[in-house]
Amino acid sequence: MYRRNTKYKIRIRWSTIARVLLFVVLMTPGIFAQDSWTNPIVKQGRMGSPLVETSPFVFKDQLYVLENNQRFWDVKGAKPGDHFHDDEIRIREVKSGKLVSVPLKNHGFGTVLVHNNQVYVFAGSYGDGKPWRRMTEITMTSSSDLKNWTKPVTVLKAHEKEHFFNTAVCRGKDKFVLLYETDDPRWKAFTFRYVESDDLVHWKGIPEAIYGKEKYVGGPALYYEGGWYYTLYLEDLKKGYETRITRSKDLVTWEDAPANRPFVTFDPSIRNIPLLDPGVPESNASDVELCYYGGQTILYFTGSDQTTAGDLQWATYKGTPKQLFEHFFIKPTAAEKPPKHEGNWTPVLIAPDQQSSAGGRNPSIDEDVPSRQQLEFQQRQLGAFIHFGPATYVASNMMTVPKADVFNPTRLDAEQWVKTAASFGAKHVVLTAKHHNGFCLWPTKTTDYSVKSSPWKDGKGDVVAEFVAACRKYGVKPGLYISGGDKNENCTSTPDPMGKRKVVGDVDAYFPKFITQLQELLSNYGEIDYIWFDGAYDPFGWDVMNAKTMERNGSGYGDAIKTMVRSLQPQAVVFGGTRPDVRWSGSEQGWASYPLWNSVGKETWADNWVGPENTGWLPAEANIHTRDRWFWYPDSDKTLRSVDFLTKVYLESIGRGANLLINMTPDTSGLIVPAETQRLADFGKQIETMFSREVKAMHSVSAEKETIVDLRGKTKLGWFEMEEDISKGQHISSYKLEAWTNGKWTPVATGSSVGRRRIQQLENLETDRLKFSVTSDKPDIPVKKLAVYGI
């Protein structure tokens, strides 16, 4: 995490929209772009395996690897090709190292694609009675659980004089694309050919979509990122083989990365390669495949010497595949060089293995207490998100900028949205009034890229107005999300981590338009209780740098934005931005770190996704998308989170003292589909049931001495809950709950932070007495609530 030096430059500007707002811009000098290109991939080590073709992939938030296992490796004295009908395509979980399943036997050169919560495996079939590696068919099988696989089907057949070798597959711009190596006699062996499909079963050739006709290529991988098809391929250097990268917009015309920028190359100092003479040096780096997991790109490749077996290795890149691929094509001169991405500001996908105090700081450091707005926000605990806009209509993400006329909901019902949120207990709802693509769900005067240019209600509609009216009708607090980044205006920041982001576009020209949009939302719809600023792609962030001067924005833009919010909506609480009232938990998977402290200090601001000017009481909020994307898309009901998963999320966010925002996704008609409304309602019922079995509740419990809780007879307990009176700050630093079992006191629940609410499960506990004690720097402040619930 970046921590800047405390050196300042001050500039003063006047906003033409928000008059008399003083911009105090903090700058940090001394950081400049590198003059020379360097490979950002970091090799992490050898894995002691002869595997060659491996494909890492992520499925249901777990990292797996597809392995192409050749049977002759396992048989002493065997040669390449022996026992090849026993070759297997295998799936292995990386964390545990356990073999999960074997989708295909008598196959080789397999690869994998994950799409719509389904895993597809493609591989060459050896067939019956054919020599080794004279494959003429490519097979596909799929699974929704990695254990039960569909009956294999043949999806591609070679012509009479052709054989298949390695394969690769990806989801492209609007179709699936499959690459295969061919020995078609018209070209050099292992030339790549590309075919396309709408359904992953029926494939057709793409005219002139060929790569490698005039040179040696092999070991391919195929990806589609940012409008480009990227192919990794093997280059024959005569002294060895290294993997390089090329790209194309149409799969016909290709642009190779400069020859002095190998994607992965070999290391001749490496010896003792599996199944080879110990003295043979490494002369190969091939068969690279990769995926994005845990905030970084994971790469697998093989060393060895391209003969008997491989030498499986892995590497990492601190950023997304898109950023990694782009790095190999940046221009060599500083004048032409675009903003360099050095990482990625993305949600933390995996909870830390160990508990951490990164959530804030210990109590008792000072007397921090919440403001009225913060306290009311924390009392609400649970809220709903609504992601709806052009991305709903193009099955894409919020960075795509389709034409405004794609937006045309035929049955839009904001009341249905709000009633769905209320069904699971949401006390406020946040609508994405403008996401990163820049489309405005209200008829703004700042741009034509809004509902007024859509066919919906003949351009006279206003989604924000209908949403706010629905919230008021059903007693739910309305909130509005507005993205600072705007792809339609070509003004965003790069997706680098905090401290390394750079402006894309002209932020000074765009800011008056943005501040007017914010003014409209805060002035035209009555009282708005929650304002949500997204940290991603935000060109106004304190840490965002000018791509040329490498000077930072500082807090000037954020100060102006917060001043406008306080002036027009003084009761509102602000999430994110440069001057937040609420900070992000760091997770879009719905959890918050534990212990969780509400106060942020000078030593912990960077670990809490805020700038150095933000200290004091800053509660955390986690958020989660109920599908595998933020927006609805066809056939995505199968990706809906289960009730048990959402319950786990509730316990790992609200149960740790944070707030939680659960996403909802209207479809193209403007309604939330029945599968989603039912799932969310069932989740609400499960939470309600869990906390309806109250066995004992005590209020204003002394923090100065132990408290005995008499349950009046043996009772089976399932849950323990406690609360601090956070209006007086956060003061408990540890607690212990003990149960009288087998004639002695046994600890059954312990922890450190409590704050707004702490919930713990009590495993198989039956007792008639409990003993409760806490450590607090303010023991004169009683514990607000202590309760246990039955099962």
Side-chain angles (χ1 to χ4, degrees):
M1 190 63 64
Y2 176 80
R3 292 175 173 81
R4 69 177 188 175
N5 295 324
T6 53
K7 297 180 181 179
Y8 303 93
K9 287 185 180 180
I10 296 179
R11 291 192 298 186
I12 297 179
R13 297 183 181 154
W14 297 97
S15 166
T16 58
I17 305 300
R19 288 178 246 170
V20 202
L21 293 177
L22 181 62
F23 288 9
V24 182
V25 183
L26 308 180
M27 298 294 191
T28 304
I31 302 176
F32 299 94
Q34 295 180 358
D35 294 328
S36 60
W37 184 91
T38 58
N39 192 321
I41 295 172
V42 179
K43 293 183 179 180
Q44 299 293 341
R46 304 163 68 191
M47 306 179 77
S49 168
L51 286 167
V52 179
E53 291 93 8
T54 58
S55 304
F57 65 97
V58 177
F59 182 61
K60 295 184 178 179
D61 297 333
Q62 296 294 323
L63 181 63
Y64 297 89
V65 64
L66 177 144
E67 301 176 347
N68 290 266
N69 188 67
Q70 299 180 45
R71 176 63 174 150
F72 83 89
W73 292 334
D74 306 325
V75 180
K76 188 175 181 179
K79 302 181 296 296
D82 290 354
H83 313 283
F84 71 89
H85 284 297
D86 295 326
D87 288 0
E88 296 177 335
I89 309 297
R90 310 189 303 199
I91 305 292
R92 190 179 301 277
E93 184 186 32
V94 172
K95 184 176 181 180
S96 66
K98 292 181 180 179
L99 189 65
V100 176
S101 62
V102 179
L104 294 169
K105 292 188 177 182
N106 192 30
H107 283 70
F109 296 117
T111 191
V112 64
L113 170 72
V114 180
H115 178 69
N116 283 352
N117 220 31
Q118 190 86 357
V119 177
Y120 297 85
V121 170
F122 294 80
S125 172
Y126 287 128
D128 297 322
K130 295 181 180 179
W132 185 50
R133 296 204 165 169
R134 305 293 285 177
M135 299 173 180
T136 57
E137 295 183 355
I138 293 176
T139 298
M140 186 271 285
T141 180
S142 67
S143 173
S144 61
D145 60 7
L146 298 182
K147 295 180 181 178
N148 300 292
W149 294 86
T150 60
K151 182 179 179 180
V153 295
T154 298
V155 297
L156 207 62
K157 291 185 178 181
H159 65 65
E160 184 178 0
K161 297 181 180 181
E162 180 183 35
H163 298 95
F164 295 140
F165 298 90
N166 277 295
T167 58
V169 64
C170 75
R171 175 66 183 176
K173 180 180 180 181
D174 51 11
K175 296 180 184 294
F176 299 100
V177 177
L178 184 145
L179 172 164
Y180 64 87
E181 291 179 350
T182 176
D183 64 355
D184 189 312
R186 291 177 290 174
W187 311 299
K188 288 181 177 290
F190 313 131
T191 292
F192 301 160
R193 299 213 62 184
Y194 299 82
V195 294
E196 63 182 9
S197 171
D198 292 319
D199 60 6
L200 294 169
V201 176
H202 303 91
W203 295 85
K204 63 179 181 180
I206 305 172
E208 304 302 320
I210 303 169
Y211 182 79
K213 292 188 294 184
E214 291 83 26
K215 64 180 179 181
Y216 176 92
V217 294
L222 177 66
Y223 305 93
Y224 183 75
E225 297 284 351
W228 291 91
Y229 291 93
Y230 291 92
T231 294
L232 304 180
Y233 67 94
L234 202 60
E235 184 81 7
D236 183 0
L237 304 178
K238 306 307 179 185
K239 62 180 179 180
Y241 301 84
E242 68 184 13
T243 295
R244 294 188 179 178
I245 185 169
T246 186
R247 68 180 181 179
S248 173
K249 289 281 189 179
D250 58 7
L251 297 169
V252 176
T253 303
W254 293 90
E255 175 191 359
D256 292 350
N260 62 348
R261 297 181 183 181
F263 197 77
V264 179
T265 194
F266 54 89
D267 180 356
S269 69
I270 292 178
R271 297 175 186 267
N272 296 305
I273 297 169
L275 304 183
L276 297 186
D277 183 292
V280 174
E282 180 177 277
S283 58
N284 174 68
S286 70
D287 298 275
V288 181
E289 295 210 37
L290 55 86
C291 68
Y292 186 69
Y293 179 72
Q296 62 182 346
T297 299
I298 308 291
L299 304 93
Y300 280 67
F301 68 97
T302 193
S304 191
D305 67 347
Q306 276 282 339
T307 57
T308 305
D311 181 23
L312 189 62
Q313 302 176 42
W314 73 295
T316 58
Y317 165 72
K318 292 184 177 179
T320 64
K322 177 178 181 291
Q323 294 163 0
L324 175 60
F325 298 152
E326 288 175 346
H327 186 79
F328 288 83
F329 294 90
I330 58 177
K331 301 298 182 182
T333 62
E336 299 172 330
K337 190 173 182 179
K340 178 177 176 291
H341 297 182
E342 300 182 36
N344 192 31
W345 187 320
T346 59
V348 181
L349 297 179
I350 301 176
D353 293 332
Q354 298 179 345
Q355 294 180 339
S356 167
S357 61
R361 54 176 164 168
N362 287 319
S364 79
I365 290 180
D366 55 30
E367 298 296 326
D368 291 340
V369 295
S371 68
R372 177 182 57 81
Q373 296 98 326
Q374 289 172 320
L375 183 60
E376 290 178 357
F377 168 80
Q378 289 187 269
Q379 301 296 3
R380 296 198 294 264
Q381 296 184 87
L382 182 60
F385 230 161
I386 298 176
H387 277 67
F388 184 53
T392 307
Y393 294 82
V394 293
S396 183
N397 62 34
M398 64 286 291
M399 300 301 288
T400 303
V401 186
K403 292 182 178 179
D405 61 11
V406 304
F407 183 82
N408 189 22
T410 56
R411 300 171 61 199
L412 189 148
D413 186 351
E415 291 190 16
Q416 188 235 16
W417 304 348
V418 175
K419 287 189 285 186
T420 300
S423 75
F424 66 86
K427 299 299 189 293
H428 54 246
V429 185
V430 179
L431 171 68
T432 53
K434 186 188 86 164
H435 219 301
H436 303 324
N437 56 28
F439 185 85
C440 297
L441 293 181
W442 76 100
T444 176
K445 64 184 179 183
T446 64
T447 177
D448 290 333
Y449 195 53
S450 73
V451 288
K452 67 185 182 185
S453 299
S454 77
W456 178 59
K457 295 190 174 183
D458 296 324
K460 305 298 182 183
D462 187 335
V463 180
V464 174
E466 294 190 21
F467 162 73
V468 173
C471 287
R472 295 209 174 95
K473 180 175 179 178
Y474 293 97
V476 174
K477 302 287 188 182
L480 296 176
Y481 166 116
I482 178 170
S483 169
D486 191 321
K487 286 283 287 185
N488 184 58
E489 296 292 336
N490 192 33
C491 190
T492 65
S493 71
T494 60
D496 295 313
M498 188 173 72
K500 295 187 177 182
R501 298 186 292 168
K502 302 163 191 69
V503 169
V504 176
D506 188 340
V507 66
D508 293 325
Y510 165 60
F511 184 67
K513 183 171 290 188
F514 171 81
I515 206 76
T516 300
Q517 292 172 351
L518 181 61
Q519 183 185 45
E520 291 173 346
L521 289 175
L522 301 182
S523 302
N524 298 341
Y525 301 99
E527 191 169 288
I528 304 298
D529 293 274
Y530 197 13
I531 313 297
W532 219 93
F533 296 119
D534 200 330
Y537 302 101
D538 176 17
F540 308 130
W542 68 271
D543 62 308
V544 178
M545 295 178 285
N546 181 294
K548 294 181 179 180
T549 67
M550 301 304 283
E551 293 183 335
R552 285 186 165 73
N553 281 344
S555 64
Y557 295 113
D559 291 341
I561 291 168
K562 187 63 174 287
T563 299
M564 175 169 280
V565 174
R566 281 289 170 260
S567 174
L568 298 177
Q569 296 285 347
Q571 79 295 329
V573 67
V574 175
F575 175 96
T578 300
R579 296 286 188 180
D581 301 313
V582 178
R583 59 186 165 90
W584 185 39
S585 76
S587 167
E588 289 182 356
Q589 298 299 305
W591 53 263
S593 295
Y594 187 79
L596 184 73
W597 310 112
N598 286 287
S599 264
V600 173
K602 294 179 180 179
E603 70 286 354
T604 59
W605 59 266
D607 295 325
N608 286 282
W609 307 92
V610 297
E613 52 281 303
N614 295 288
T615 58
W617 193 270
L618 283 174
E621 180 186 66
N623 51 56
I624 185 170
H625 38 86
T626 43
R627 298 173 187 266
D628 62 351
R629 299 183 195 170
W630 282 111
F631 287 86
W632 179 91
Y633 66 93
D635 197 31
S636 61
D637 285 0
K638 67 180 72 172
T639 72
L640 285 168
R641 307 282 195 178
S642 69
V643 170
D644 287 344
F645 186 93
L646 292 173
T647 301
K648 180 174 180 288
V649 162
Y650 184 96
L651 297 172
E652 292 183 351
S653 56
I654 290 175
R656 292 176 175 176
N659 274 46
L660 175 63
L661 202 59
I662 296 179
N663 192 46
M664 305 188 302
T665 55
D667 67 1
T668 53
S669 74
L671 292 174
I672 301 172
V673 300
E676 185 171 340
T677 59
Q678 189 61 53
R679 184 65 51 85
L680 292 170
D682 290 344
F683 158 66
K685 290 175 183 176
Q686 178 150 307
I687 295 299
E688 183 180 6
T689 299
M690 284 172 56
F691 297 103
S692 67
R693 306 185 183 110
E694 186 177 274
V695 174
K696 185 82 171 184
M698 303 175 66
H699 301 274
S700 296
V701 179
S702 172
E704 296 183 287
K705 59 183 180 181
E706 294 180 340
T707 299
I708 302 296
V709 182
D710 186 357
L711 301 181
R712 298 185 179 181
K714 281 197 172 184
T715 307
K716 291 183 178 179
L717 302 177
W719 303 96
F720 165 61
E721 176 190 28
M722 60 186 302
E723 297 179 20
E724 283 188 74
D725 182 356
I726 57 171
S727 68
K728 298 179 172 63
Q730 186 177 9
H731 300 284
I732 294 174
S733 57
S734 69
Y735 64 87
K736 180 167 64 174
L737 183 71
E738 299 172 89
W740 184 258
T741 57
N742 299 320
K744 62 179 181 180
W745 289 109
T746 303
V748 292
T750 59
S752 48
S753 66
V754 175
R756 168 63 183 91
R757 194 176 183 194
R758 177 69 176 130
I759 305 169
Q760 278 183 279
Q761 188 169 8
L762 303 175
E763 299 283 355
N764 301 316
L765 176 61
E766 186 173 1
T767 186
D768 62 352
R769 276 176 289 171
L770 296 167
K771 182 167 64 173
F772 173 69
S773 59
V774 302
T775 302
S776 171
D777 71 306
K778 295 280 188 180
D780 55 313
I781 301 176
V783 177
K784 185 175 182 180
K785 181 181 179 182
L786 172 67
V788 287
Y789 300 86
I791 54 177

